[in-house]
């Protein structure tokens, strides 16, 4: 250690450690660390988490799969495509086929979005078509405002929910297709309305698959 | 409006309440003398002496070499994916340029993804490469920040600590325990955690739906605690499997802010001046709130072009409204805006909505935050950048009053200011230089997904995100081309090391200087006045450098949208 010299004000350097590790050794340390942390963080930690959740929360850990009569019909947290009049319809989805060869809505192994900017003509044209189609299939007059979530594509292409407004506008169509009283269908939808989590977080919403499973179960 | 604001206030209040306990915890990790048995074993296995004291050159060298080793090992693992286990979907290895982009991206804590996770990486690669990098890159950045703080505090001469000890402790004492507990909560909320093959469902309408699964929760927790941001799936935290409920979204947000915000308090303790830590925290929070207010306001107001067509975007009792293209119903605008502000502030880069589909000014905010790159910031880097502006603030104030600038009792001289300016200038040079280059190449322009100013924004966003080591994207840009893979890879390297290394050198030089006693000429840096001055320096330097580019992109975009202009691709 150098003794501070009162006449030399700047750059008083303390000697670094007496024997710094030689460079080849430091390189070896680096590779050993890379290997060790790959084992601990990249294999040990995720495999331990998999083992523990596999025992404690097996349903969720496997993707919250919903079965009906022993057959898997979907995942409770993912959306799926509905087009039949008797079903509640979800949001537009922009996912493509797995090989990328064309559109395939709600493809759960290839999540995707439009990524269209607000001024892109493709966005305007798509929304215009969807508004017209939504009004037509639900028997709404030309001037009826359509909830924005019903005519815009979600971020994941797998959004499981719609807003209450979007769900309620479809009640008449569903009731007609199922020969059920309108009030009955509306009751099912309201029963499946999820509020804000803990009363604060997120937005209230209707899970489309849950409603449709309940509607099918009514008959 | 009221419920939206309530949850934002609630989440930020929880973050603020955690600053002191987590800050104390980080301080004890950074300064504790005792090693645990597991840590001693680790030092023995990798063959290092935990007592070795490192000056800034030594510390910097250890960072570089350890990163290099990780880079080579991971490149190898990712290219060998085809022959390695846990690949139920039989995915082939990434091509060399894409693999380079991927490993650089995760090594630098950027997590830019030119690939789609469920279509490109096996479960083994997601764990052994991606999850590992999320731990080591976060720990590296955080260790760099600890070394930097030790230099500024200057308690032990030129000794900045021991890199191996810092990294090991951060991983074992901070990251692994938090991540494990969070992963359990995440699975409880509906995130998968499995090595089973993709599931096949038959939908109610009789169609087949293949469902991609995987060890998602263990990656998601470190993704946000380590402010990494790379998604398991292509659509990142918007994918319901990565972010099933508003609670997971809130936990993602809190995880991202947890360590960067607490680092300010740990710094205050290290200096023995808590006020200095709070001034930094306050400066960051003010910029954060300003950004959040802008983003929330513009996205909730919606897109007038869609209103004209008959889309209802107002808040009503039955819908949350707003510009919902590329957003998820469960989050609405409030949680989306808070997430987007956080992810670009904390240099995470995960997204729970598609930033490309924001309104012009909505997209302005994430870009601006990444350009400033110091609003909380990711592990370490954001903090280091903020201090860089504190030093610049001291220097500018010193010029104004004609005194030798001092920072934390050390004189700031030509050498330090030159290094600070290198770090300050490298950032815009990389962003604007690469953007200009891409704009002149027809091949690069072919990757655009949107016409007009928004297309320019896609390129600007890509290099901003890469340089700021953020990783989020205007994802319409087809970035998996040779040109973008290489140039964005370079931008990520410049952004990481041309900030970290010069600032580490500054800390090392300051540490070696003699402390000058506080006199009547000293400008105190732990006051509200100086905090305000620093925020202005940040905004002026940021605005002067980037405003022209921002005007050509998001501002022009927004003005066109307000006029109802629609552009054909």
């Amino acid at each position: 250690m150098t003794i501070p010299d009162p006449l030399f004000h700047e750059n008083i350097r303390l000697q670094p450690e007496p024997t710094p590790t030689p460079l080849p050794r430091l390189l070896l340390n680096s590779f050993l660390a890379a290997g060790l942390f790959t084992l601990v963080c990249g294999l040990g930690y995720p495999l331990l988490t998999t083992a523990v959740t596999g025992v404690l929360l097996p349903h969720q850990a496997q993707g919250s799969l919903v079965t009906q009569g022993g057959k898997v019909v979907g995942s409770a947290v993912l959306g799926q495509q509905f087009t039949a009049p008797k079903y509640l319809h979800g949001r537009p989805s922009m996912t493509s086929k797995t090989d990328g060869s064309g559109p395939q809505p709600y493809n759960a192994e290839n999540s995707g979005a439009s990524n269209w900017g607000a001024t892109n003509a493709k966005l305007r044209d798509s929304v215009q078509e969807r508004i017209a189609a939504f009004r037509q299939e639900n028997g709404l007059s030309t001037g009826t405002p359509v909830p924005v979530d019903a005519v815009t594509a979600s971020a994941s292409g797998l959004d499981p929910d719609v807003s209450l407004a979007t769900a309620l506008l479809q009640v008449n169509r569903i009731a007609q297709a199922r020969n059920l009283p309108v009030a009955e269908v509306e009751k099912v939808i309201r029963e499946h309305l999820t509020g804000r989590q803990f009363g604060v977080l997120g937005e209230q919403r209707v899970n489309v698959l849950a409603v449709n499973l309940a509607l099918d179960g009514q008959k | 409006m009221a419920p939206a604001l309530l949850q934002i206030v609630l989440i930020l209040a929880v973050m603020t309440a955690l600053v002191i306990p987590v800050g104390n915890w980080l301080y004890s990790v950074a300064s504790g003398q005792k090693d645990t048995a597991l840590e001693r074993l680790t030092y023995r296995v990798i063959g290092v002496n935990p007592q070795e004291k490192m000056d800034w050159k030594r510390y910097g060298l250890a960072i570089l070499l350890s990163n290099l080793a990780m880079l080579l090992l991971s490149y190898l693992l990712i290219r060998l994916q085809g022959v390695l286990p846990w690949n139920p979907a039989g995915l082939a290895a990434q091509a060399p340029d894409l693999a380079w982009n991927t490993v650089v991206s995760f090594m630098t804590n950027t997590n830019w993804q030119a690939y789609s996770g469920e279509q490109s990486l096996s479960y083994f690669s997601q764990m052994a490469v991606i999850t590992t990098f999320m731990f080591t890159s976060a720990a590296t950045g955080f260790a760099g920040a600890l070394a930097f703080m030790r230099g500024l505090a200057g308690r032990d001469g030129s000794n900045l600590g021991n890199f191996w000890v810092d990294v090991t402790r951060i991983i074992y004492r901070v990251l692994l325990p938090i991540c494990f507990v969070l992963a359990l909560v995440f699975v409880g909320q509906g995130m998968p955690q499995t090595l089973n093959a993709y599931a096949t469902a038959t939908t109610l309408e009789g169609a087949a739906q293949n469902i991609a699964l995987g060890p998602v929760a263990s990656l998601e927790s470190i993704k946000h605690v380590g402010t990494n941001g790379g998604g398991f799936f292509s659509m990142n935290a918007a994918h319901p499997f990565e972010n099933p409920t508003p609670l997971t979204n809130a936990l993602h947000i809190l995880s991202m802010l947890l360590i960067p915000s607490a680092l300010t308090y740990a710094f205050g303790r290290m200096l023995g001046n808590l006020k200095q830590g709070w001034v930094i925290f306050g400066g960051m929070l003010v910029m954060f709130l300003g950004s959040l207010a802008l983003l929330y306001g513009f996205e909730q107001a919606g897109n007038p072009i869609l209103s004209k067509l008959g889309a209802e975007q107002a808040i009503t009792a039955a819908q949350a409204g707003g510009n919902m293209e590329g957003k998820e119903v469960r989050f609405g605008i409030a949680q989306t805006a808070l997430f987007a502000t956080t992810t670009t502030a904390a240099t995470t880069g995960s997204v729970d909505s598609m930033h490309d589909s924001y309104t012009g000014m909505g997209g302005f905010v994430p870009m601006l935050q990444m350009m400033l790159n110091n609003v909380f910031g990711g592990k370490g880097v954001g903090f280091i950048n903020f201090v860089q502006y504190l030093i610049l603030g001291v220097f500018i104030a010193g010029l104004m009053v004609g005194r030798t600038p001092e920072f934390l009792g050390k004189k700031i001289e030509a050498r330090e200011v030159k290094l600070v300016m290198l770090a300050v200038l490298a950032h815009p040079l990389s962003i604007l230089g690469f953007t200009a280059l891409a704009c002149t190449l027809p091949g690069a322009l072919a990757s655009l997904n949107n016409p007009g100013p928004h297309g320019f924004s896609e390129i600007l966003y890509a290099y901003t995100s890469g340089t700021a080591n953020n990783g989020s994207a205007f994802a319409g840009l087809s970035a998996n081309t040779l040109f973008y893979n290489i140039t964005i890879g370079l931008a990520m390297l410049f952004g990481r090391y041309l900030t970290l290394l010069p600032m580490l050198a500054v800390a090392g030089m300051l540490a070696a200087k003699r402390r000058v006693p506080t006199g009547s000429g000293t400008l105190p840096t732990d006051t509200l006045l100086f905090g305000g001055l620093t925020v202005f320096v940040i905004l002026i330097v940021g605005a002067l450098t980037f405003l022209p580019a921002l005007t050509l992109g998001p501002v022009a975009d927004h003005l066109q949208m307000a006029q109802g202009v629609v552009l054909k691709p």
Side-chain angles (χ1 to χ4, degrees), chain A residues 4-6 9-12 14 16-17 20-21 23 25-27 29-38 40-43 45-50 52-53 57 60-65 68 72-75 77-84 87 91 98 106 108-124 127-128 130-131 135 145-149 151-156 158-165 196-198 200-205 209 212-213 216, chain B residues 3 6-7 42 45-48 52-53 58 61 65-66 69-70 72-73 86 118-119 127-128 131-132 135-136 157-158 164 168 171 176 179-180 183-184 187-189 191-196 198-205 209-213 218 221 234-235 238-241 245-247 303 305-306 309-313 317-320 322 324-332 335 353-354 356-357 413 415 449-451 454 475-476 512-514 557 561 565-569:
Chain A
D5 176 356
H9 286 274
E10 294 308 324
N11 301 326
I12 300 162
L14 301 171
E17 71 287 352
T21 318
L23 193 65
R25 168 106 192 162
L26 197 56
L27 204 56
N29 298 152
S30 299
F31 276 99
L32 288 171
L36 180 72
F37 287 131
T38 301
V40 173
C41 306
L43 293 173
Y45 155 72
L47 293 180
L48 178 71
T49 312
T50 308
V52 172
T53 53
L57 302 155
Q60 290 94 326
Q62 300 301 328
S64 310
L65 300 177
Q68 210 182 31
V72 176
V73 296
S75 164
V77 295
L78 299 183
Q80 53 181 253
Q81 174 81 331
F82 288 103
T83 51
Y87 284 124
R91 298 184 62 194
T98 305
Y106 289 95
E109 58 175 355
N110 198 14
S111 56
S114 76
N115 279 308
W116 288 329
T119 55
N120 193 327
K122 287 183 186 167
L123 174 68
R124 184 205 48 190
V127 171
Q128 198 162 25
R130 290 169 190 151
I131 287 177
R135 282 175 181 154
V146 178
V148 64
D149 64 294
V151 293
T152 49
S154 63
S156 60
L158 297 165
D159 195 336
D161 306 309
V162 291
S163 68
L164 180 61
R196 291 194 172 84
Q197 212 165 359
F198 312 120
V200 209
L201 297 175
E203 300 297 342
Q204 63 169 4
R205 60 209 184 270
L209 178 60
N212 288 334
L213 282 167
D216 277 355
Chain B
L6 183 65
Q7 57 182 316
T42 300
V45 171
I46 61 179
V48 296
E52 180 180 344
K53 294 179 173 180
R58 211 68 210 161
L61 190 64
L65 290 182
S66 65
M70 284 298 307
L72 294 175
L73 179 67
W86 291 315
E118 60 266 51
Q119 289 303 322
M127 296 192 295
T131 308
T132 306
F135 279 95
T136 56
S158 59
W164 306 110
T168 308
I171 290 178
L176 276 173
C179 289
F180 182 68
L184 299 187
V187 176
Q189 289 289 306
M191 238 182 250
Q193 178 71 29
T194 179
L195 296 174
N196 290 357
Y198 294 179
T200 305
T202 308
T203 67
L204 295 191
E205 293 193 345
Q209 189 185 36
N210 289 335
I211 300 176
L213 297 166
S218 57
S221 54
S234 179
M235 289 298 115
H239 195 299
F241 272 163
T245 63
L247 174 65
N303 182 348
I305 296 169
L306 304 189
L309 301 173
E312 175 65 86
Q313 294 175 86
Q319 72 157 11
M324 285 301 285
E325 179 70 25
K327 296 194 182 64
E328 301 278 301
V329 169
R330 61 195 177 284
F331 307 137
Q335 279 218 345
S353 59
M354 291 303 116
D356 212 348
S357 293
E413 289 169 298
R415 233 171 13 154
N449 185 49
N450 283 288
H454 198 82
K513 283 191 184 192
R514 174 188 281 195
D557 192 16
M561 183 191 78
V565 176
V566 170
L567 299 170
K568 288 223 175 344

Side-chain angles (χ1 to χ4, degrees), chain B residues 279-325:
Chain B
V279 163
I280 297 176
F281 177 81
M284 290 174 169
L285 188 62
V286 164
M287 291 189 284
F288 183 89
L289 292 177
S291 302
L292 176 63
L294 280 178
L295 184 48
Y296 175 76
F298 283 114
E299 290 305 301
Q300 187 67 63
N303 182 348
I305 296 169
L306 304 189
S307 302
K308 219 185 292 170
L309 301 173
E312 175 65 86
Q313 294 175 86
I315 303 177
T316 68
Q319 72 157 11
N323 172 27
M324 285 301 285
E325 179 70 25

